[in-house]
Amino acid sequence: MSEFSTRGTAHAILAHLYAWKATLNKEPELNQLAIAECDTVLSYKYYQLAGNIHDVCETVMLGNSSEGIFELDYRDTDFDFVTSGSRLAAYCQSFPIVPLSTPQTARRNLRINNTTVYALYPDANDDRRKEYFYELDYYNSQSTSITQGAAYVQKLRHYSKYTDGTQVGRIKSYLDNEIIIRLADIILLRAELKEKTGDRTGAEADLNVIRQRANTSVYDESEGSLKEAIQNERDRELFLEGINTRYFDMVRNGMFRERLRGKFKTLTDQDVADGALFLPVGSIAFSNNTRMIQTTYWKRNGYPHK
């Protein structure tokens, strides 16, 4: 990795860090620092958006592209390969990507309904419909006895197969890198930050860069709030990417009650202040540090470590 790209990675992480702290620590002045970090990343000519969504799947997801900023680089060796179900996108995929699968192969892992995909990608011209999902319209018209009413995810496309033994012919590993941050993420993050700091024109411009790359319409106020539109675009563009990317978005933008399921919807402001949106401190930490204190919310809800 070059020094140039390493600096870009550092600035991209700082952009997310400042944006996170600005909200959670109630320090809105940090949003300007986050914008400055995004600007620095975008000033590096090494980073360029892929030309279209097909290239996102075929090249960016494979790894080491000009759009990639921070990614985990795997090699197909006995000591470095990643099992096919260890990443979210791979965990959701079956037919047509997984060898020996058919449209009727039962999907026991996470799945997404066709109706959800259509709601997420309302523009029929959006190239992410046809690139992230296999023959969406065709399989939506087929019997649910075949499709289970779900879409066929195809975002990760490069894999290796077992060539011998009892698993011969079956998928061994995905060859795609694990993309943590890419340029589209930083552009949309800057759009979010500009909206928060009152620069609507700049926010719309960044948002529309990503929309136009996907061959979908530019933002119009008739859609609703610009804040919601930017988050919707992050949902669409970064679908199944990163490490809990969408969860961090929901927390950072205060949308967890609205968009997440389960008990997130009933959390009070005091619950959040007491640490409900963070994982509880694991029990082993208390063995190694006798002064460790459990987060207030989790101590109150069944994790009574010291």
Side-chain angles (χ1 to χ4, degrees), residues 159-215:
Y159 59 85
S160 63
K161 296 187 290 186
Y162 288 100
T163 57
D164 53 30
T166 59
Q167 298 293 312
V168 64
R170 296 188 178 278
I171 189 168
K172 176 184 178 183
S173 171
Y174 279 96
L175 304 179
D176 301 86
N177 282 356
E178 188 163 3
I179 310 301
I180 310 301
I181 304 175
R182 58 183 171 98
L183 193 59
D185 176 353
I186 294 300
I187 292 172
L188 288 171
L189 179 64
R190 190 172 70 170
E192 172 191 313
L193 294 162
K194 286 181 175 180
E195 190 280 332
K196 287 178 177 177
T197 55
D199 181 6
R200 288 184 58 87
T201 300
E204 287 185 31
D206 282 341
L207 170 61
N208 289 333
V209 166
I210 303 304
R211 286 193 167 194
Q212 290 173 315
R213 199 261 298 265
N215 196 35

Side-chain angles (χ1 to χ4, degrees), residues 11-83:
H11 286 294
I13 292 171
L14 278 171
H16 273 283
L17 177 62
Y18 283 135
W20 181 259
K21 289 188 68 179
T23 298
L24 268 71
N25 291 5
K26 295 181 172 57
E27 299 176 80
E29 65 276 10
L30 295 181
N31 283 323
Q32 291 294 348
L33 292 179
I35 291 173
E37 295 297 339
C38 291
D39 290 343
T40 299
V41 174
L42 291 165
S43 73
Y44 292 157
K45 301 306 180 185
Y46 172 83
Y47 298 121
Q48 299 289 329
L49 287 176
N52 52 59
I53 300 302
H54 178 75
D55 287 346
V56 169
C57 294
E58 291 290 348
T59 304
V60 179
M61 294 297 107
L62 183 59
N64 299 308
S65 74
S66 59
E67 185 166 333
I69 296 176
F70 179 28
E71 53 194 68
L72 305 183
D73 195 344
Y74 297 106
R75 293 170 176 81
D76 190 31
T77 69
D78 289 341
F79 304 102
D80 199 32
F81 80 91
V82 181
T83 56

Side-chain angles (χ1 to χ4, degrees), residues 211-274:
R211 286 193 167 194
Q212 290 173 315
R213 199 261 298 265
N215 196 35
T216 189
S217 57
V218 298
Y219 170 72
D220 186 274
E221 289 185 356
S222 63
E223 296 176 34
S225 76
L226 181 57
K227 176 182 177 180
E228 293 278 348
I230 293 168
Q231 183 54 58
N232 289 341
E233 201 63 29
R234 287 185 64 83
D235 286 350
R236 286 189 280 263
E237 178 67 25
L238 306 175
F239 177 71
L240 299 182
E241 289 183 41
I243 300 175
N244 295 327
T245 297
R246 187 169 186 270
Y247 175 75
F248 292 134
D249 285 353
M250 296 300 102
V251 174
R252 186 179 65 248
N253 289 312
M255 296 178 177
F256 53 90
R257 293 188 185 94
E258 175 188 351
R259 298 196 177 203
L260 299 183
R261 298 180 180 180
K263 292 186 177 180
F264 288 106
K265 295 185 177 301
T266 60
L267 290 176
T268 67
D269 290 343
Q270 189 60 54
D271 289 335
V272 173
D274 289 342

Side-chain angles (χ1 to χ4, degrees), residues 80-98:
D80 199 32
F81 80 91
V82 181
T83 56
S84 60
S86 63
R87 279 176 276 169
L88 184 55
Y91 192 69
C92 297
Q93 293 186 171
S94 180
F95 173 83
I97 301 300
V98 177

